[in-house]
Amino acid sequence: MALKLNKEDNIGGQDNPVSRLREMAFKPPKRIANYAYVQSMDDYEAMYELSVNDPEKFWGQIAEEFYFERDQPEGEPFFHYNFDITQGPICFNMLKGAKTNVCYNVLDWNIQRRGIGKNIAIHWEGSETDDHWSITYDELLVEVCRFANALKSLGVKKGDRVVVYMPMIAEITITMLACARIGAVHSVVFGGYSAESLAGRLIDAKAVVVVTADGAFRGDKVIPLKEITDKAIQLCLEQGHNVEHSIVVEHLPRLKKYELMGKKSCIQGPLDKSYHDIIANQSDICVPEWVDAEDPLFILYTSGSTGKPKGVLHTTAGYMMYAALTFKMVFDYKPGDVFWCTADIGWITGHTMMVYGPLANGATVVLYEGTPLYPSYTRPWTVIEKYKISQIFTAPTVIRSLMKFRNSPMLRHDISSLKVLGTAGEPINPEAWLWYFQTLGGTKCPIVDTYWQTETGGPCITPLPGATPTKPGSATFPFFGIVPELLDEDGHVVEGEGEGYLVFKQAWPGMMRTVYGDHARFEETYFRRFPGYYYTGDGAKRDSDGYIWITGRVDDMLNVSGHLLSTAQVEAAILEHKCVSEAAAVPIEHPVKGEALYCFVVLNEGLEMNKSIIGEINDKVRDKIGPIATPEKIHLAQGLPKTRSGKIMRRILRKIAAGETDFGDISTLADESVLAALIKPAKQ
Ligand code: ATP
Ligand code: MG
C-alpha cells in the first residue's frame, strides 16, 4: 500500500510500505501545532519536568482554576502517599481537608466564569437519525438541581451509592452530576449487562437506589432495561440486599419509533418511581454539598478482561483536575469545538471524556445512543458532518469494524471539521492506525493513541496533538505527572531501549484510591508485585527514540521456545494480511517448544479461509517476528469473545485452545453465541 502524505506531515519519507510504518513518525500538522496549547516537544518537556519534579506547584496551578469552598487547612500536605507496601498501607491523598463539589465546578462555576450558560452542553443523537435534541449548560444545571432535590427527597444522602443503569441519554449525565451535587457516590453499570451482572454490582456497591430507563434501542432491537433491572433487584433480595428505590426514565415514548410499539408504562412495582414524576415539583435550586477533596465521587467496575471486575473508587478533587486537564490537552479542546466520544458512559473513557473532562472545560459533546454501524456503516460520517465534530474518540475495535468496508463514504460527506482523532482501550495495530489517519483524518489530523485504565482516571501515556510526532501503534510519551518505568522480572529498572513490565513510580491526581470495600485486593493487585510502584499489569517496550509501545497484558504474554512475545506484536503481524479483519494469539502447550502459538483469525466479510491464506498468514508472522513464532494452529473464527467494552478476552481463548470448557467469570462477555461457535471447531 502506498502512502500519500503531505511532506510536512511526514518525516519518514513518502510511499513507505506498510512494513516500515513502525519506523515512521508523523509530525503534528502545522494547522494544529500553531494554535495548540502545547506546540512543541520542548514545551511539553518543560511542562513535564515541572509536573514530576514539583507536582505541588504544577497541580497547585491547575487547582486555582477550580472553586474550593474551603482551602486546605494550614500544615496539611498537598500530596501524601505511600506506594511501598513494605513500609505500610498503600494510600494516596491530595488536597485533603479542602472542600469542593465537582458538580458545582463543572456547571455553576463554569457558567459564571466562562459565561457559557447558553452554550450547548450535550447534543443528543438517537439511534434513529430523526431523534435528536440538545441541552444548554443553563438547562443542564436546572435539570441536575431538580433531580438532586428529588434524590434528597427520597432520603439519598452523602456517601450513599446510586447505581445507574441507562442507555446513552442525557439523563445519565444528569444523574451522575446530581449524585455529585449531593455527595452521593454513583456507579454506572453499562446498559448492555445482564441482570446477574447488574445484581452483582448493586450488591458489591451496597447500592440503595438504582436509576434506569424503560428501554433503549440497539439497532432495531429494544433492550428492556427496566425488566432487567426488576430481575436484578429480585436477585439482590434473594441474596439479602435491599434496593430501596428504582427510578425509571421513560425514554421510549420520546422516540419517533415508539408510536409503532404500542407499549404501556413499565412503572408498576412498589419500588418504582417515574423520573419525570419525582422531578416535577422540585426546585431549580439545590445548594451543593461541600465534600472533602478526598471524598468518593464514583465507583466504576473494570471491564473484566482478566478476571472478576474490580470496583475502582475515584475521589473528588484529584479526579476532577486530572479529567479536566487530560481532556483539554490530549484533544487540544478549544471553545467552539464539538467533541464526540463513541465509548459508552459506562466505561472510564465515557466518565472522563464524555462527562467530567468536557464539562469541566465548558465543552460541547455529542452523546450518541446508537451503535457505529447502524443503520449502516456510513453513520459515523453522517454524525461528524451533522454536528461538525472537531475531535472524535473511539476504540481500535470500532476502527477495525469500519475498515472492513472498503469503499469509503468519505468522499460523499463533508468531514473537514475534524481536527484530532483519538483511540483507547487496546493496542492499535499499524494498519488500523493508518486507516484512521488516512481515511477519516485525510492525513490532516493527528492521531492520539491514549493508554489508560479504569484505575488511572485519565490517559497516562499519550501524544499531545500539537507537539508529539506520532508513530503508528505507539502511545508515545507520559502525560503530565506520570513517571513510567519498565521493570524486568526481578524488579530492576530497564534503562533506555528495552521491554518490561509497565509501572508508575509516582502518584498522580487521577489515580484510584482503593477497590471499593476491599483495600487488600487493591494492595495485592497493584502494589505487591513491585513494592514502590503502581503496577499496571501491562507490558511495554521503549524504542531507541524513547517512544513507549504498549505490548498488551502481561498475563497474555506468549513464551515460545524461551522467547517472550507479546500478543500485540503477533496480532499486528497477522492483521497486515489484507483478508484479515481481527486476530488474537494465545499460547498452547507444546512438547518441544514449551509453548506454541494458537491464532484465532476473523476474515473480512464474505471471504473464506483457504490454504493459501493460511500460508500467507504464516509467512507474515515468520517475516515480521521470526520462524519461532510460526503459528501452530490458525483457527478460523466468525467472531472473537469480547468484553462489553469491546476488548478481546484472551483468557477465554486460551481455554478454548486448550480444549477446556470452564471459562471462569464470563459476566462481562458481550455475546455468548460467539463462544458456542468457537468451541465447536476447536473440538474437531
Ligand atoms: P480488567 O482489569 O477487569 O481485566 P480491563 O483491564 O480490560 O479489565 P479497563 O480498565 O477498561 O479494564 O482497560 C484498561 C486496559 O486496556 C489497560 O490495562 C490496557 O491493557 C488496555 N489499554 C487501554 N488503552 C490502551 C492503549 N491505548 N493501548 C494499549 N492498550 C490499552
Ligand atoms: Mg485492567
Side-chain angles (χ1 to χ4, degrees):
M1 187 195 302
L3 287 176
K4 292 269 177 292
L5 300 167
N6 300 327
K7 269 211 174 85
E8 66 180 46
D9 293 338
N10 173 17
I11 56 177
Q14 286 196 343
D15 295 337
N16 286 273
V18 167
S19 55
R20 280 191 48 211
L21 279 174
R22 280 188 184 275
E23 286 110 59
M24 292 171 56
F26 294 83
K27 266 198 215 161
K30 286 204 175 72
R31 69 175 191 131
I32 305 287
N34 289 351
Y35 304 98
Y37 295 115
V38 185
Q39 301 187 346
S40 68
M41 284 307 275
D42 288 345
D43 289 356
Y44 158 73
E45 274 156 24
M47 287 172 78
Y48 178 74
E49 290 303 316
L50 178 69
S51 75
V52 298
N53 295 331
D54 194 349
E56 187 165 334
K57 181 161 180 208
F58 183 89
W59 294 108
Q61 284 167 0
I62 304 294
E64 275 169 25
E65 291 176 26
F66 292 92
Y67 178 82
F68 284 84
E69 174 72 5
R70 197 181 85 191
D71 288 338
Q72 258 192 311
E74 290 278 312
E76 282 283 338
F78 188 87
F79 276 116
H80 171 75
Y81 73 97
N82 172 38
F83 270 18
D84 188 346
I85 197 146
T86 63
Q87 303 297 309
I90 300 298
C91 64
F92 171 47
N93 56 54
M94 174 181 168
L95 278 167
K96 198 165 171 56
K99 299 269 185 227
T100 188
N101 182 288
V102 178
C103 176
Y104 181 85
N105 267 286
V106 304
L107 294 181
D108 315 52
W109 177 240
N110 247 344
I111 291 170
Q112 274 172 46
R113 73 175 173 141
R114 298 183 202 255
I116 54 165
K118 302 282 174 286
N119 290 9
I120 302 293
I122 302 169
H123 287 296
W124 178 80
E125 168 87 1
S127 188
E128 300 299 323
T129 40
D130 45 5
D131 284 318
H132 54 96
W133 55 79
S134 305
I135 177 166
T136 66
Y137 272 82
D138 280 341
E139 290 162 350
L140 186 59
L141 175 59
V142 167
E143 292 290 321
V144 167
C145 285
R146 293 169 78 186
F147 190 48
N149 286 328
L151 286 173
K152 281 209 287 197
S153 73
L154 293 176
V156 180
K157 50 187 191 317
K158 183 177 174 223
D160 286 346
R161 274 83 45 219
V162 174
V163 162
V164 185
Y165 181 67
M166 273 206 248
M168 293 276 278
I169 52 178
E171 285 81 1
I172 196 168
T173 309
I174 294 169
T175 305
M176 290 163 77
L177 294 176
C179 289
R181 195 159 190 98
I182 62 173
V185 182
H186 60 73
S187 184
V188 181
V189 176
F190 169 57
Y193 278 134
S194 65
E196 289 75 16
S197 301
L198 175 59
R201 286 157 180 73
L202 282 163
I203 295 169
D204 191 78
K206 301 181 196 72
V208 287
V209 174
V210 55
V211 187
T212 186
D214 45 3
F217 277 99
R218 278 199 90 65
D220 277 328
K221 229 172 84 192
V222 177
I223 314 282
L225 294 170
K226 172 62 169 48
E227 271 172 40
I228 299 171
T229 305
D230 287 348
K231 201 166 150 207
I233 292 175
Q234 184 56 35
L235 289 170
C236 289
L237 255 184
E238 287 163 15
Q239 293 176 56
H241 175 69
N242 279 342
V243 175
E244 291 167 23
H245 304 283
S246 169
I247 302 172
V248 188
V249 176
E250 288 165 278
H251 172 54
L252 296 176
R254 303 188 287 205
L255 305 177
K256 302 239 160 59
K257 241 186 183 172
Y258 183 74
E259 284 156 29
L260 308 174
M261 296 170 57
K263 284 268 165 80
K264 58 180 191 318
S265 171
C266 58
I267 319 265
Q268 288 158 347
L271 309 184
D272 297 353
K273 312 266 171 324
S274 156
Y275 173 93
H276 314 276
D277 290 351
I278 60 170
I279 62 167
N281 297 317
Q282 298 293 345
S283 157
D284 291 357
I285 295 167
C286 173
V287 178
E289 176 85 31
W290 300 113
V291 300
D292 194 281
E294 280 299 332
D295 274 334
L297 178 64
F298 65 86
I299 301 166
L300 184 62
Y301 290 84
T302 57
S303 298
S305 307
T306 54
K308 184 172 178 278
K310 299 167 276 274
V312 166
L313 183 99
H314 282 285
T315 56
T316 298
Y319 174 79
M320 169 173 77
M321 286 161 55
Y322 201 69
L325 192 68
T326 51
F327 174 79
K328 177 174 169 180
M329 293 296 180
V330 171
F331 290 98
D332 203 55
Y333 185 91
K334 299 278 169 45
D337 287 349
V338 179
F339 181 85
W340 181 26
C341 167
T342 68
D344 196 277
I345 290 184
W347 317 124
I348 190 67
T349 325
H351 277 52
T352 305
M353 298 301 176
M354 283 295 281
V355 180
Y356 291 111
L359 297 181
N361 284 280
T364 301
V365 297
V366 170
L367 181 64
Y368 171 50
E369 189 187 350
T371 58
L373 302 184
Y374 183 82
S376 90
Y377 70 94
T378 60
R379 189 69 185 270
W381 280 260
T382 320
V383 174
I384 295 166
E385 185 174 36
K386 178 170 176 183
Y387 295 101
K388 300 195 173 34
I389 308 274
S390 338
Q391 292 95 347
I392 186 166
F393 194 21
T394 191
T397 175
V398 175
I399 297 169
R400 286 194 287 264
S401 67
L402 290 171
M403 276 171 78
K404 283 195 220 168
F405 305 99
R406 292 284 160 187
N407 64 336
S408 142
M410 182 176 151
L411 303 173
R412 277 172 279 128
H413 292 273
D414 178 5
I415 56 168
S416 57
S417 54
L418 285 175
K419 292 188 349 192
V420 180
L421 309 178
T423 159
E426 282 191 296
I428 182 164
N429 53 301
E431 272 61 35
W433 193 102
L434 192 68
W435 181 90
Y436 204 23
F437 183 64
Q438 287 186 299
T439 309
L440 206 71
T443 76
K444 293 192 180 69
C445 305
I447 304 286
V448 285
D449 173 6
T450 65
Y451 165 82
W452 46 318
Q453 306 179 302
T454 312
E455 296 87 336
T456 66
C460 291
I461 315 266
T462 174
L464 298 182
T468 319
T470 50
K471 297 188 185 187
S474 168
T476 74
F477 300 106
F479 190 71
F480 305 125
I482 302 288
V483 185
E485 296 274 20
L486 302 183
L487 302 183
D488 68 15
E489 204 59 45
D490 303 319
H492 298 124
V493 173
V494 177
E495 306 277 3
E497 207 178 333
E499 198 165 341
Y501 296 94
L502 178 66
V503 297
F504 298 146
K505 197 171 158 188
Q506 288 185 13
W508 66 100
M511 75 170 286
M512 71 185 288
R513 304 301 200 255
T514 190
V515 170
Y516 181 70
D518 195 352
H519 198 66
R521 186 171 182 208
F522 173 61
E523 295 183 327
E524 272 313 306
T525 312
Y526 307 100
F527 295 94
R528 180 74 67 194
R529 179 76 171 84
F530 299 111
Y533 298 96
Y534 168 85
Y535 171 48
T536 61
D538 291 309
K541 202 173 74 183
R542 196 188 292 111
D543 71 13
S544 53
D545 298 325
Y547 280 69
I548 293 175
W549 302 73
I550 307 298
T551 54
R553 293 159 200 287
V554 171
D555 295 349
D556 292 336
M557 290 295 271
L558 313 155
N559 188 339
V560 182
S561 306
H563 299 268
L564 268 189
L565 302 172
S566 69
T567 49
Q569 191 183 11
V570 176
E571 289 159 13
I574 300 176
L575 285 164
E576 278 192 16
H577 194 289
K578 59 183 186 313
C579 300
V580 176
S581 77
E582 287 188 293
V586 297
I588 45 165
E589 277 184 31
H590 188 279
V592 181
K593 301 179 188 166
E595 278 181 351
L597 285 187
Y598 189 115
C599 301
F600 294 84
V601 171
V602 182
L603 297 181
N604 287 333
E605 298 276 308
L607 293 180
E608 275 184 29
M609 184 66 93
N610 58 42
K611 280 218 170 91
S612 81
I613 297 185
I614 294 185
E616 286 161 17
I617 292 175
N618 281 333
D619 289 347
K620 282 271 178 216
V621 183
R622 238 195 314 265
D623 291 352
K624 297 290 302 184
I625 303 167
I628 51 141
T630 310
E632 192 68 22
K633 178 160 169 80
I634 294 186
H635 181 148
L636 176 66
Q638 296 309 314
L640 299 176
K642 292 189 182 163
T643 61
R644 306 255 170 189
S645 55
K647 292 158 195 260
I648 299 171
M649 296 173 89
R650 292 183 190 75
R651 68 177 159 97
I652 293 182
L653 292 174
R654 270 204 302 271
K655 301 226 163 148
I656 293 176
E660 291 174 31
T661 46
D662 175 9
F663 300 122
D665 185 337
I666 55 163
S667 61
T668 67
L669 179 67
D671 180 359
E672 289 196 22
S673 69
V674 167
L675 261 192
L678 276 169
I679 295 166
K680 248 172 61 198
K683 280 189 171 161
Q684 281 168 2

